[in-house]
Amino acid sequence: MRRIRSAAVLGAGVMGRQIAALLANANLRVTLLDVVPATGAEEGHARSRLAREAVEALRRASPPALFVPERAEAIRVGNLTDHLGWLKEADWILEAVAEDLGIKQALFAAVDGHRAAGTIVSSN
């Protein structure tokens, strides 16, 4: 039996962040990645702002998305430009991006170049 210990969620919108919370609640290490914002994200932490804001939204959610607020610490945030290399650490990669075939095809092509052999990849 294969054990899942870590997951990467691609897309930090409403669905992606809720999936990340569910996985964190199950005691998995979670990586949450989203696109680099179109404006105001020239360098550093600002480039991962969307994923960071998604985790903050989980902390404030009512009803709570996280069993305990500390589970938010299990979610590592990044972006789909600078942090695709993190995918090689994931046992399971879940896609939760916009329902646009072109976006999904481009994302899966990028994922294929960064995931480890045998990693489970799923789409919503």
Side-chain angles (χ1 to χ4, degrees):
M1 171 171 43
R2 182 182 182 127
R3 295 199 67 173
I4 305 294
R5 293 184 175 91
S6 62
V9 180
L10 311 180
V14 174
M15 182 180 292
R17 71 177 170 236
Q18 292 295 332
I19 292 169
L22 177 68
L23 296 169
N25 286 333
N27 290 320
L28 294 174
R29 293 182 319 272
V30 181
T31 297
L32 181 61
L33 304 178
D34 207 324
V35 296
V36 174
T39 60
E42 289 73 31
E43 59 185 54
H45 291 295
R47 292 178 60 79
S48 300
R49 184 181 83 229
L50 298 177
R52 185 171 297 99
E53 289 172 353
V55 172
E56 290 308 313
L58 291 173
R59 291 179 194 268
R60 295 186 311 269
S62 179
L66 299 162
F67 294 155
V68 292
E70 295 78 25
R71 290 310 303 152
E73 302 307 317
I75 304 172
R76 172 173 64 171
V77 298
N79 66 69
L80 292 165
T81 301
D82 303 330
H83 303 113
L84 279 178
W86 291 352
L87 296 181
K88 67 180 171 276
E89 302 167 16
D91 298 317
W92 185 14
I93 299 170
L94 300 96
E95 169 273 318
V97 299
E99 294 303 316
D100 178 296
L101 184 59
I103 291 171
K104 289 180 185 284
Q105 288 175 328
L107 179 64
F108 283 124
V111 165
D112 228 25
H114 291 89
R115 69 184 181 93
T119 302
I120 300 166
V121 180
S122 4
S123 180
N124 70 25

